[in-house]
Amino acid sequence: MLFDVIRQLSAGYQVDLWQVLAQVLSVVFVILCILPLHEFAHGWVAYKLGDPTAKLAGRLTLNPLASVDPMGAAAILLFGFGWAKPVPVDSRYFKKPKQGMALVALAGPGANLLAALLGALVMAVMQAFVPVNGVTQFLYSVFYYYVLVNISLAVFNLLPIPPLDGSRIVGAFLSDRMLYSYYRYQNIFSMAVFVLVLSGAMSGPLYRAQSFLANVIFTIAAAPFRLFGVL
């Protein structure tokens, strides 16, 4: 995202300002509309599993003011992934706490992937039926980056590292003793992830996972249009 743009500018390379604007618009939309959806999905699944904590806290809402974390939003703008204010969840309400937490955790990245699929469908419609001009090409770029940012958020949150959603999913398969040890050092894990991301050490694995999911989502979105021969 913008970190790459800054790095290119500092190295003396030229950048396409329209593409930068498309990235910024897509990220702002994700921050204001999709991050709240991500957190709402966590709270909604928890509520359906018997936990009213998010509802009582006023977090079953799509209001961005309830979910947007300034630092997390800045991270998305700079790096393409970040975080929101976590929805409170109390696993004691679940019949099977670890399995319940895994389902709640999976709901957030799942919401991002569904949002990405919707964006990819819009892109397929544009390819099939909308005439190509400067405006439509710019809008196409906005939706393209929107899809990529959602996939990036899903992949990042699925990393099996506390306090990311992936750690809750892995936790469903750990014993209570191992789970305690797993979360005991979550602050160290968080710092380690932050350092690895800034150093670029994780860029390769993350990029490969994002590219794989992007290919799957774009293929699924385009399939109906290719079936009827309009793409």
Side-chain angles (χ1 to χ4, degrees), residues 45-56:
V45 171
Y47 181 70
K48 289 299 180 180
L49 291 175
D51 176 19
T53 307
K55 181 173 178 148
L56 294 175

Side-chain angles (χ1 to χ4, degrees), residues 134-168:
V135 174
T136 57
Q137 284 182 322
F138 176 74
L139 290 175
Y140 189 87
S141 295
V142 172
F143 279 106
Y144 175 75
Y145 289 120
Y146 161 84
V147 171
L148 293 187
V149 171
N150 272 293
I151 293 173
S152 176
L153 288 171
V155 169
F156 182 70
N157 276 283
L158 285 172
L159 290 174
I161 302 170
L164 299 176
D165 294 329
S167 67
R168 308 288 182 183

Side-chain angles (χ1 to χ4, degrees), residues 8-204:
Q8 290 174 19
L9 287 172
S10 64
Y13 294 105
Q14 292 184 337
V15 297
D16 187 331
L17 293 180
W18 286 108
Q19 290 298 308
V20 174
L21 179 59
Q23 290 183 44
V24 171
L25 289 176
S26 65
V27 171
V28 169
F29 183 81
V30 168
I31 290 171
L32 295 179
C33 299
I34 308 303
L35 280 186
L37 177 64
H38 177 111
E39 295 304 323
F40 175 86
H42 285 315
W44 184 80
V45 171
Y47 181 70
K48 289 299 180 180
L49 291 175
D51 176 19
T53 307
K55 181 173 178 148
L56 294 175
R59 293 298 305 277
L60 285 186
T61 176
L62 296 176
N63 183 352
L65 295 178
S67 298
V68 173
D69 178 279
M71 290 294 293
I76 297 174
L77 274 169
L78 286 171
F79 306 112
F81 49 82
W83 58 90
K85 295 176 184 176
V87 166
V89 177
D90 190 342
S91 62
R92 290 175 296 181
Y93 286 100
F94 303 149
K95 292 180 180 178
K96 296 181 178 180
K98 288 191 288 188
Q99 289 79 0
M101 285 300 296
L103 291 173
V104 171
L106 190 60
N112 284 115
L113 292 177
L114 287 175
L117 179 59
L118 181 59
L121 284 170
V122 172
M123 291 174 64
V125 170
M126 292 180 68
Q127 281 184 301
F129 303 113
V130 179
V132 177
N133 55 49
V135 174
T136 57
Q137 284 182 322
F138 176 74
L139 290 175
Y140 189 87
S141 295
V142 172
F143 279 106
Y144 175 75
Y145 289 120
Y146 161 84
V147 171
L148 293 187
V149 171
N150 272 293
I151 293 173
S152 176
L153 288 171
V155 169
F156 182 70
N157 276 283
L158 285 172
L159 290 174
I161 302 170
L164 299 176
D165 294 329
S167 67
R168 308 288 182 183
I169 299 170
V170 170
F173 304 95
L174 300 179
S175 66
D176 291 340
R177 182 177 179 180
M178 290 180 67
L179 192 62
Y180 172 78
S181 298
Y182 192 42
Y183 283 107
R184 182 180 178 185
Y185 302 104
Q186 70 172 12
N187 290 334
I188 297 175
F189 287 139
S190 300
M191 288 299 298
V193 169
F194 188 71
V195 171
L196 288 172
V197 167
L198 286 181
S199 68
M202 294 183 65
S203 58

